[in-house]
Amino acid sequence: MLDTTPLITAVDRFADRLRAAPQSRLKRGAAAEGLAAARELAMRAQRAEAPGREPRVMPDAGMFAVGDQLAVAGRDLAAALETAPSVELDEAVQFVEEAAARAFA
């Protein structure tokens, strides 16, 4: 079984920062970056679980929900990686860390 701890750790760290960020920071782009990351992780999970099906786009639930959306999408991808190891774990971790850096630059 693939150890997805690095992905979950990176996602939780980013999600916690989004949850703790002030509204002004979220409005300046952190929420948009978080939503984009959540959508990408959700699409990766869907592609791993159902390769032939068109992925659905995660809706925008608002800037105050984006941390939770990111956490859910990241855990969905971690679960998908455990059964579909063709998706690269290291690439997903790097993606999350880079998105977090952009959001809080």
Side-chain angles (χ1 to χ4, degrees):
M1 180 187 275
L2 184 64
D3 180 14
T4 58
T5 303
L7 176 59
I8 292 171
T9 299
V11 166
D12 285 350
R13 188 175 298 130
F14 187 11
D16 287 345
R17 289 187 73 190
L18 288 167
R19 290 179 187 120
Q23 183 174 357
S24 60
R25 180 67 154 180
L26 294 171
K27 282 184 177 180
R28 284 195 313 264
E33 190 66 48
L35 179 59
R39 285 177 169 168
E40 177 63 26
L41 295 177
M43 283 191 196
R44 289 180 187 207
Q46 291 176 63
R47 285 187 193 118
E49 292 171 344
R53 193 169 61 193
E54 183 69 25
R56 295 174 308 279
V57 176
M58 179 177 281
D60 183 346
M63 77 173 91
F64 298 114
V66 73
D68 293 333
Q69 288 181 288
L70 180 68
V72 168
R75 289 182 183 277
D76 284 350
L77 179 56
L81 287 171
E82 290 177 358
T83 59
S86 63
V87 180
E88 290 293 322
L89 174 65
D90 293 339
E91 180 185 318
V93 172
Q94 182 178 356
F95 171 78
V96 171
E97 290 172 347
E98 289 172 356
R102 286 189 303 272
F104 292 96

